[in-house]
Amino acid sequence: MIFTSESVTEGHPDKLADQISDSIVDELISQDRNSRVAVETLVSNGLVLIAGEITTKGYVEIPNIVRNTIRTVGYDDASFGFDFKACSVLTSIHPQSPDIALGVDRKKMGAGDQGMMFGFACRETKELMPLPIQLAHALTHKLAETRKKKILNYLRPDGKAQVSVEYAEMGKPKRVKTVVVSTQHNEKVKLSTLKKDILEKIIKPVLGKYFDSKTEVFINPTGRFVMGGPPADTGMTGRKIIVDTYGGYARHGGGCFSGKDPTKVDRSATYAARWVAKNLVAAGFAERVEVQIAYAIGHHEPVSLNFETFGTEKIPVAKIEEAVKKVFDLSPAGILRELNLVRPIYLKTASYGHFGREGFSWEKTDKVGALRKFVSLKSRAK
């Protein structure tokens, strides 16, 4: 089997839009923990448009946040085709719908919308993530790091990577069959120089043991990537949901994360589903776990839970479900409390994936002991 996943750099137009939206979320939450935010960003040639719903006691100068985010990403020179100083910033903001607020702002906080969310974990990497997406993220992160440290001073902010992993029997990663890296660059660098540098300084160090003499390598396949960023490709919040999650390796409920405060279960419950899945794998209950959680707007408990273990379970799936219901509080309010989500932490999530990274509360394996204890007690009771 061969499976392929992709990642994009923080300078990719869609990721730039995600970061702008999450910068606004962070600033509002830092001022008012009860801020309700659902903002979308569109970036195009010389233009940034912010639209959405905000209800808050805080106050932010949205254009300032937008320009600072663009500058931090690296669009700080007009020669790059997009410049934080020169772009226009337009806004169209209104309060959150009072009908939606009815479901959230109550004694037992309800879900902000209906929907189904998925979480996943597996044994392929130490982060309990699929290998293809982890390698793809590592490549794009290395591209950005190399650019920012001026190791390759001809690199520009836009770029992407794609990794195809060949699997042996029993679903074990064997090698990288194909790797594709496309990176924006200045017009002076020779393609031969760029290819050699990307191979030796980016691809080989990142892929390590998974790279071999038969690995197919494609670097800037068209031969030129000078025009990049918003002038080359309009970007929008929420268009990289597969990059944000598991690289296509697991199912997705369809809702994006960026631009939304954590009362939106699109965001918070997807984080919770990853938390559950990772703890189940870390506890040794299965080699691969996909968790689905579904909600009804205004309702304070999930309307359904589903577990897929792909035949790798070590205990019956019914017992896994029983343990999760006992150990985890998956109510919207419980998720916010247990994962400490009402904090300005979201800008960091908006590049290189929301999962498989240190420092996020949903990546902790703090429920392993409780899960094992519950299963052990149930077994002894029988």
Short mmCIF file of all heavy atoms in Angstrom, two decimals, residues 45 70-71 73-84 147 150 153-158 184-186 225-232:
data_model
loop_
_atom_site.label_atom_id
_atom_site.label_comp_id
_atom_site.label_asym_id
_atom_site.label_seq_id
_atom_site.Cartn_x
_atom_site.Cartn_y
_atom_site.Cartn_z
N ASN A 45 -4.60 39.44 -4.16
CA ASN A 45 -3.55 40.35 -4.59
C ASN A 45 -3.76 41.74 -4.00
O ASN A 45 -4.63 42.49 -4.42
CB ASN A 45 -3.54 40.43 -6.12
CG ASN A 45 -2.32 41.15 -6.65
OD1 ASN A 45 -1.38 41.43 -5.90
ND2 ASN A 45 -2.31 41.44 -7.93
N ILE A 70 0.78 39.13 8.95
CA ILE A 70 1.39 39.03 7.63
C ILE A 70 2.90 39.28 7.71
O ILE A 70 3.70 38.57 7.10
CB ILE A 70 0.73 40.02 6.66
CG1 ILE A 70 -0.74 39.63 6.43
CG2 ILE A 70 1.47 40.05 5.32
CD1 ILE A 70 -1.54 40.68 5.69
N ARG A 71 3.27 40.28 8.50
CA ARG A 71 4.70 40.60 8.66
C ARG A 71 5.44 39.44 9.31
O ARG A 71 6.54 39.07 8.87
CB ARG A 71 4.84 41.87 9.51
CG ARG A 71 6.29 42.26 9.79
CD ARG A 71 6.37 43.41 10.79
NE ARG A 71 5.74 43.08 12.05
CZ ARG A 71 6.29 42.33 12.99
NH1 ARG A 71 7.51 41.83 12.82
NH2 ARG A 71 5.64 42.08 14.11
N VAL A 73 4.74 36.28 9.31
CA VAL A 73 4.86 35.15 8.38
C VAL A 73 6.02 35.35 7.42
O VAL A 73 6.68 34.40 7.02
CB VAL A 73 3.53 34.93 7.62
CG1 VAL A 73 3.71 33.99 6.45
CG2 VAL A 73 2.47 34.39 8.58
N GLY A 74 6.27 36.60 7.04
CA GLY A 74 7.42 36.86 6.18
C GLY A 74 7.15 37.70 4.95
O GLY A 74 8.06 37.96 4.16
N TYR A 75 5.91 38.16 4.79
CA TYR A 75 5.59 39.03 3.66
C TYR A 75 5.86 40.47 4.06
O TYR A 75 4.94 41.27 4.32
CB TYR A 75 4.13 38.83 3.22
CG TYR A 75 3.89 37.51 2.54
CD1 TYR A 75 3.17 36.50 3.15
CD2 TYR A 75 4.41 37.26 1.26
CE1 TYR A 75 2.95 35.28 2.53
CE2 TYR A 75 4.20 36.05 0.63
CZ TYR A 75 3.48 35.06 1.28
OH TYR A 75 3.28 33.85 0.65
N ASP A 76 7.15 40.81 4.11
CA ASP A 76 7.58 42.11 4.60
C ASP A 76 8.38 42.90 3.56
O ASP A 76 9.08 43.85 3.90
CB ASP A 76 8.41 41.95 5.88
CG ASP A 76 9.61 41.01 5.68
OD1 ASP A 76 9.81 40.54 4.56
OD2 ASP A 76 10.31 40.75 6.68
N ASP A 77 8.26 42.47 2.32
CA ASP A 77 9.01 43.12 1.24
C ASP A 77 8.13 43.12 0.00
O ASP A 77 7.62 42.07 -0.41
CB ASP A 77 10.31 42.34 0.99
CG ASP A 77 11.25 43.06 0.04
OD1 ASP A 77 10.78 43.62 -0.97
OD2 ASP A 77 12.47 43.05 0.31
N ALA A 78 7.97 44.29 -0.61
CA ALA A 78 7.10 44.40 -1.79
C ALA A 78 7.57 43.52 -2.94
O ALA A 78 6.77 43.10 -3.77
CB ALA A 78 7.03 45.86 -2.24
N SER A 79 8.86 43.18 -2.96
CA SER A 79 9.37 42.34 -4.05
C SER A 79 8.85 40.91 -3.96
O SER A 79 8.95 40.15 -4.92
CB SER A 79 10.91 42.33 -4.04
OG SER A 79 11.41 41.67 -2.89
N PHE A 80 8.29 40.53 -2.80
CA PHE A 80 7.72 39.19 -2.65
C PHE A 80 6.34 39.10 -3.28
O PHE A 80 5.76 38.01 -3.38
CB PHE A 80 7.60 38.82 -1.17
CG PHE A 80 8.92 38.74 -0.44
CD1 PHE A 80 8.94 38.53 0.93
CD2 PHE A 80 10.13 38.86 -1.11
CE1 PHE A 80 10.14 38.45 1.62
CE2 PHE A 80 11.33 38.79 -0.42
CZ PHE A 80 11.35 38.59 0.94
N GLY A 81 5.78 40.25 -3.70
CA GLY A 81 4.47 40.28 -4.34
C GLY A 81 3.33 40.58 -3.39
O GLY A 81 2.21 40.84 -3.81
N PHE A 82 3.62 40.54 -2.07
CA PHE A 82 2.59 40.83 -1.06
C PHE A 82 3.31 41.43 0.13
O PHE A 82 4.31 40.88 0.60
CB PHE A 82 1.87 39.54 -0.66
CG PHE A 82 0.58 39.75 0.10
CD1 PHE A 82 -0.53 40.26 -0.53
CD2 PHE A 82 0.50 39.43 1.45
CE1 PHE A 82 -1.72 40.44 0.16
CE2 PHE A 82 -0.68 39.61 2.15
CZ PHE A 82 -1.80 40.12 1.50
N ASP A 83 2.80 42.56 0.64
CA ASP A 83 3.53 43.31 1.65
C ASP A 83 2.56 43.77 2.74
O ASP A 83 1.51 44.34 2.44
CB ASP A 83 4.20 44.52 0.99
CG ASP A 83 5.01 45.36 1.96
OD1 ASP A 83 5.23 44.91 3.09
OD2 ASP A 83 5.40 46.48 1.58
N PHE A 84 2.92 43.51 3.99
CA PHE A 84 2.02 43.86 5.10
C PHE A 84 1.73 45.35 5.18
O PHE A 84 0.66 45.76 5.66
CB PHE A 84 2.62 43.36 6.43
CG PHE A 84 3.72 44.21 6.99
CD1 PHE A 84 3.47 45.13 8.00
CD2 PHE A 84 5.02 44.10 6.52
CE1 PHE A 84 4.49 45.90 8.53
CE2 PHE A 84 6.04 44.87 7.04
CZ PHE A 84 5.78 45.78 8.05
N ARG A 147 14.34 29.27 5.72
CA ARG A 147 14.14 30.62 5.18
C ARG A 147 14.37 31.67 6.27
O ARG A 147 15.09 32.65 6.06
CB ARG A 147 12.72 30.74 4.61
CG ARG A 147 12.32 32.18 4.26
CD ARG A 147 10.93 32.24 3.66
NE ARG A 147 9.90 31.74 4.55
CZ ARG A 147 9.27 32.48 5.48
NH1 ARG A 147 9.62 33.75 5.66
NH2 ARG A 147 8.31 31.97 6.22
N LYS A 150 17.78 32.32 7.25
CA LYS A 150 18.57 32.78 6.10
C LYS A 150 19.66 31.79 5.71
O LYS A 150 20.72 32.17 5.20
CB LYS A 150 19.16 34.17 6.36
CG LYS A 150 18.10 35.22 6.65
CD LYS A 150 18.69 36.61 6.72
CE LYS A 150 17.63 37.65 7.11
NZ LYS A 150 16.48 37.68 6.18
N ASN A 153 18.90 32.01 1.58
CA ASN A 153 18.29 33.34 1.58
C ASN A 153 17.49 33.66 0.34
O ASN A 153 16.94 34.76 0.23
CB ASN A 153 19.36 34.42 1.82
CG ASN A 153 20.46 34.39 0.77
OD1 ASN A 153 20.32 33.76 -0.28
ND2 ASN A 153 21.55 35.08 1.06
N TYR A 154 17.41 32.72 -0.59
CA TYR A 154 16.59 32.96 -1.78
C TYR A 154 15.17 32.41 -1.63
O TYR A 154 14.33 32.59 -2.50
CB TYR A 154 17.25 32.35 -3.02
CG TYR A 154 17.57 30.87 -2.90
CD1 TYR A 154 16.57 29.91 -3.04
CD2 TYR A 154 18.88 30.44 -2.66
CE1 TYR A 154 16.87 28.55 -2.93
CE2 TYR A 154 19.18 29.10 -2.55
CZ TYR A 154 18.17 28.16 -2.69
OH TYR A 154 18.46 26.82 -2.59
N LEU A 155 14.90 31.73 -0.52
CA LEU A 155 13.57 31.18 -0.31
C LEU A 155 12.57 32.28 0.05
O LEU A 155 12.93 33.29 0.66
CB LEU A 155 13.59 30.13 0.80
CG LEU A 155 14.38 28.85 0.53
CD1 LEU A 155 14.28 27.91 1.73
CD2 LEU A 155 13.89 28.16 -0.73
N ARG A 156 11.31 32.06 -0.32
CA ARG A 156 10.23 32.98 -0.03
C ARG A 156 9.15 32.24 0.76
O ARG A 156 9.18 31.01 0.88
CB ARG A 156 9.68 33.57 -1.33
CG ARG A 156 10.70 34.40 -2.13
CD ARG A 156 11.10 35.65 -1.36
NE ARG A 156 12.08 36.48 -2.08
CZ ARG A 156 13.37 36.53 -1.77
NH1 ARG A 156 13.85 35.79 -0.78
NH2 ARG A 156 14.18 37.32 -2.45
N PRO A 157 8.15 32.94 1.31
CA PRO A 157 7.25 32.31 2.29
C PRO A 157 6.36 31.17 1.77
O PRO A 157 6.01 30.27 2.54
CB PRO A 157 6.38 33.48 2.78
CG PRO A 157 7.22 34.69 2.54
CD PRO A 157 7.97 34.41 1.28
N ASP A 158 5.96 31.18 0.52
CA ASP A 158 5.00 30.20 0.03
C ASP A 158 5.70 28.87 -0.28
O ASP A 158 6.85 28.85 -0.74
CB ASP A 158 4.31 30.72 -1.23
CG ASP A 158 3.03 29.98 -1.55
OD1 ASP A 158 2.69 29.01 -0.84
OD2 ASP A 158 2.34 30.38 -2.52
N GLN A 184 8.57 28.68 -3.08
CA GLN A 184 8.74 29.99 -3.72
C GLN A 184 10.18 30.45 -3.55
O GLN A 184 10.82 30.17 -2.52
CB GLN A 184 7.79 31.00 -3.08
CG GLN A 184 7.75 32.36 -3.75
CD GLN A 184 6.90 33.36 -3.00
OE1 GLN A 184 6.46 33.10 -1.88
NE2 GLN A 184 6.66 34.52 -3.58
N HIS A 185 10.70 31.16 -4.54
CA HIS A 185 12.11 31.59 -4.51
C HIS A 185 12.25 32.90 -5.27
O HIS A 185 11.35 33.32 -6.01
CB HIS A 185 13.00 30.52 -5.15
CG HIS A 185 12.61 30.19 -6.57
ND1 HIS A 185 13.09 30.89 -7.66
CD2 HIS A 185 11.78 29.24 -7.07
CE1 HIS A 185 12.57 30.39 -8.77
NE2 HIS A 185 11.77 29.38 -8.45
N ASN A 186 13.39 33.55 -5.09
CA ASN A 186 13.63 34.74 -5.89
C ASN A 186 14.04 34.33 -7.31
O ASN A 186 14.36 33.17 -7.57
CB ASN A 186 14.67 35.67 -5.23
CG ASN A 186 16.08 35.10 -5.25
OD1 ASN A 186 16.44 34.25 -6.09
ND2 ASN A 186 16.91 35.56 -4.32
N PHE A 225 9.03 29.01 -9.52
CA PHE A 225 8.03 29.35 -8.52
C PHE A 225 8.42 30.69 -7.91
O PHE A 225 8.74 30.78 -6.74
CB PHE A 225 7.95 28.25 -7.46
CG PHE A 225 6.79 28.36 -6.49
CD1 PHE A 225 6.62 27.37 -5.53
CD2 PHE A 225 5.90 29.41 -6.51
CE1 PHE A 225 5.58 27.43 -4.61
CE2 PHE A 225 4.86 29.50 -5.60
CZ PHE A 225 4.70 28.50 -4.65
N VAL A 226 8.43 31.73 -8.75
CA VAL A 226 8.79 33.07 -8.29
C VAL A 226 7.56 33.80 -7.75
O VAL A 226 7.58 34.37 -6.66
CB VAL A 226 9.45 33.88 -9.42
CG1 VAL A 226 9.67 35.33 -8.99
CG2 VAL A 226 10.78 33.25 -9.81
N MET A 227 6.48 33.77 -8.52
CA MET A 227 5.24 34.38 -8.06
C MET A 227 4.53 33.40 -7.12
O MET A 227 4.20 32.29 -7.50
CB MET A 227 4.32 34.74 -9.22
CG MET A 227 2.99 35.34 -8.77
SD MET A 227 1.90 35.82 -10.13
CE MET A 227 2.75 37.28 -10.71
N GLY A 228 4.32 33.83 -5.90
CA GLY A 228 3.65 32.98 -4.92
C GLY A 228 2.82 33.82 -3.98
O GLY A 228 2.65 35.03 -4.16
N GLY A 229 2.28 33.18 -2.95
CA GLY A 229 1.46 33.90 -1.99
C GLY A 229 0.15 34.38 -2.59
O GLY A 229 -0.28 33.91 -3.65
N PRO A 230 -0.51 35.34 -1.93
CA PRO A 230 -1.82 35.80 -2.38
C PRO A 230 -1.89 36.32 -3.82
O PRO A 230 -2.92 36.14 -4.47
CB PRO A 230 -2.15 36.92 -1.38
CG PRO A 230 -1.44 36.50 -0.14
CD PRO A 230 -0.15 35.90 -0.62
N PRO A 231 -0.84 36.95 -4.38
CA PRO A 231 -0.95 37.37 -5.77
C PRO A 231 -1.09 36.21 -6.75
O PRO A 231 -1.65 36.37 -7.84
CB PRO A 231 0.36 38.13 -6.02
CG PRO A 231 0.81 38.57 -4.68
CD PRO A 231 0.40 37.46 -3.76
N ALA A 232 -0.59 35.05 -6.37
CA ALA A 232 -0.63 33.90 -7.27
C ALA A 232 -1.85 33.02 -7.03
O ALA A 232 -2.29 32.30 -7.94
CB ALA A 232 0.64 33.06 -7.10
#
